[in-house]
Amino acid sequence: MRKCFCLLNHVLTQKQLAELLQKYNVSNIEYPPSAISDFWRQIPTTAQILKSYLQSITEWLKLAEQGDLIIIQGEFGSTFALVDWALSKKIIPVYAVTKRVETEEKQGETVTRHYVFEHECFREYKKYTDLV
């Protein structure tokens, strides 16, 4: 069985956990230490992403072995860099696909929208050249 490393800004839902177990045969979920979680929530807003910014994350992810999964979602540039890193290590990077359910309430001249995101599935990140 394989491990799944979770680089998200929230813990996984029961539906997500069930999919990881059933579809991907995951036996263990690894969440990052709090320092990495805190950093991932607040990636620096500099003009460039520096490799040194992500070094603590890749050091933690070195615990992953070929064939393990990494759920990566967050700031786009850092996500792209870590997906590239994972692919180079033959670790499977995935992201959650969600369906957005919107409700709208109108009170006089005020309209309030509420969004609920429902997990649909995990999808593997793929290079454009690997798409079918």
Side-chain angles (χ1 to χ4, degrees):
M1 294 184 84
R2 55 173 56 142
K3 296 180 294 244
C4 178
F5 292 77
C6 188
L7 196 54
L8 290 169
N9 290 325
H10 60 81
V11 296
L12 297 170
T13 67
Q14 289 302 314
K15 187 175 180 181
Q16 290 172 324
L17 291 168
E19 180 182 353
L20 290 171
L21 176 63
Q22 294 166 5
K23 181 178 178 182
Y24 292 101
N25 203 29
V26 166
S27 62
N28 194 28
I29 305 294
E30 300 283 340
Y31 289 98
S34 60
I36 291 174
S37 291
D38 293 344
F39 176 79
W40 189 246
R41 286 185 187 94
Q42 294 296 322
I43 295 291
T45 57
T46 56
Q48 291 185 332
I49 298 294
L50 302 178
K51 193 181 282 188
S52 61
Y53 292 169
L54 304 178
Q55 189 170 1
S56 65
I57 297 171
T58 56
E59 285 298 318
W60 170 65
L61 290 174
K62 285 182 181 177
L63 297 171
E65 299 173 358
Q66 284 187 7
D68 283 345
L69 270 69
I70 302 174
I71 302 170
I72 307 174
Q73 286 181 249
E75 189 273 330
F76 294 123
S78 298
T79 296
F80 178 82
L82 290 173
V83 166
D84 181 59
W85 181 89
L87 290 170
S88 75
K89 304 293 183 192
K90 298 192 178 359
I91 299 166
I92 304 164
V94 299
Y95 60 97
V97 176
T98 58
K99 177 173 69 176
R100 182 169 66 175
V101 179
E102 175 186 343
T103 57
E104 186 174 288
E105 182 181 314
K106 185 175 180 186
Q107 292 180 334
E109 295 300 315
T110 303
V111 176
T112 304
R113 288 187 176 156
H114 180 73
Y115 299 100
V116 175
F117 296 89
E118 295 179 0
H119 178 74
E120 289 292 314
C121 64
F122 286 108
R123 188 181 291 159
E124 292 181 29
Y125 285 96
K126 297 283 185 184
K127 292 182 179 183
Y128 183 80
T129 54
D130 293 337
L131 297 176
V132 292

